[in-house]
Amino acid sequence: MTFYETLTAAVNDFVEHGFDSQERLERWMAAIDKAARASLVPEHIVQRQMTEAFRAAYRRLVEKGGVTQFHPGIPKFTLQHVSQKLRAELDRRILASANLIRLNRDQAIQKTLQRFSGWSTSIPVGGTKTADKIEEKDSIRKSLAQLPFEERRVLIDQTYKLTSAINETVATGGGAIAAKWFSHWRQAGYDYREDHKERDGQVYAIRGNWAMAKGLMKVGDAGYVDDVTKPGEEPFCRCAYRYVYNLRSLPDAMLTAKGREELKKVRIA
């Protein structure tokens, strides 16, 4: 039987007989678990789709140079310099996504079984005539019905996390000194976080960078990048950093007197 047919039979059985034995409950729990797993798109297919999405993002960002939009003025050889780290990050994300898919599926099935168990054990011995079978079935299978949608959201979310990780790796390898936060709060329909909207346009210093070590810049009002969560770190966050590599791209308030003098010399030269 299909999952829905199995669930229908289980609900009908308890409506007729009620919770009269643990054996009856366990038998239907096992049948629902088996039918639920069989009803899902095979795990290896979902994993293949996620892997393909990751690799497409990697090609766009790294192999085709799309990552440079987040790193204005960065030399091309920087990408070559960190290429092994970027590939390792891709492989790490692919492996992590496989575990995430498995955990989400197990959780959805467990919630389905919990709902069925909670409902069925509330039915008195001898059954009931008051239960709304359709409503109960919809409630029980809610988590499983939402799983394909949730898996698509996870794919999108993990792709943004990969993008953020690639950008951070390039910034570290390229010697970025600061990062400017960009939020999509203006995009229609985007469920942005209010504190992320407030970060929009703020410039955060990267702690211990070369410009600070030389006394050319200081931390601004926004603070350091490690004072706040990273873009893409929180679930379904689509924010991004645009990294700063030179003094002239910093807000004036983040330059020291020495930094302003150095910048003036560079402009004259």
Side-chain angles (χ1 to χ4, degrees), residues 37 43 47 95-108 151:
R37 295 184 185 279
E43 189 175 307
Q47 175 60 35
L95 181 61
S97 70
N99 293 329
L100 188 58
I101 290 170
R102 192 172 301 111
L103 288 172
N104 286 345
R105 289 187 164 211
D106 289 344
Q107 186 179 57
E151 288 182 336

Side-chain angles (χ1 to χ4, degrees), residues 95-160:
L95 181 61
S97 70
N99 293 329
L100 188 58
I101 290 170
R102 192 172 301 111
L103 288 172
N104 286 345
R105 289 187 164 211
D106 289 344
Q107 186 179 57
I109 292 173
Q110 190 60 37
K111 285 183 179 179
T112 301
L113 296 175
Q114 287 174 347
R115 287 195 175 105
F116 176 75
S117 178
W119 171 80
S120 61
T121 54
S122 70
I123 305 300
V125 175
T128 180
K129 294 182 179 179
T130 61
D132 187 328
K133 297 180 184 179
I134 294 177
E135 182 179 341
E136 296 301 340
K137 284 187 290 186
D138 287 345
S139 176
I140 291 168
R141 70 189 187 95
K142 183 178 180 181
S143 295
L144 209 63
Q146 290 179 336
L147 187 59
F149 170 72
E150 291 298 328
E151 288 182 336
R152 287 194 294 272
R153 290 188 74 196
V154 167
L155 187 152
I156 294 170
D157 185 47
Q158 290 298 308
T159 302
Y160 276 112

Side-chain angles (χ1 to χ4, degrees), residues 47-79:
Q47 175 60 35
R48 184 182 67 198
Q49 293 171 343
M50 188 168 286
T51 299
E52 289 173 351
F54 284 171
R55 287 176 175 165
Y58 183 87
R59 285 194 297 270
R60 174 175 54 82
L61 290 168
V62 179
E63 296 175 2
K64 296 183 179 181
V67 73
T68 56
Q69 67 178 303
F70 304 103
H71 306 266
I74 191 173
K76 290 185 177 181
F77 72 80
T78 299
L79 291 180

Side-chain angles (χ1 to χ4, degrees), residues 216-222 247 250-257 260:
L216 302 175
M217 68 169 284
K218 57 186 177 181
V219 63
D221 292 338
L247 297 177
L250 286 173
D252 185 70
M254 293 180 69
L255 292 170
T256 62
R260 292 188 183 93

Side-chain angles (χ1 to χ4, degrees), residues 141-190:
R141 70 189 187 95
K142 183 178 180 181
S143 295
L144 209 63
Q146 290 179 336
L147 187 59
F149 170 72
E150 291 298 328
E151 288 182 336
R152 287 194 294 272
R153 290 188 74 196
V154 167
L155 187 152
I156 294 170
D157 185 47
Q158 290 298 308
T159 302
Y160 276 112
K161 284 176 167 52
L162 172 64
T163 300
S164 180
I166 286 175
N167 279 321
E168 186 175 6
T169 301
V170 173
T172 301
I177 59 177
K180 187 176 183 179
W181 188 285
F182 281 88
S183 168
H184 292 272
W185 67 271
R186 295 179 183 84
Q187 181 179 328
Y190 177 52

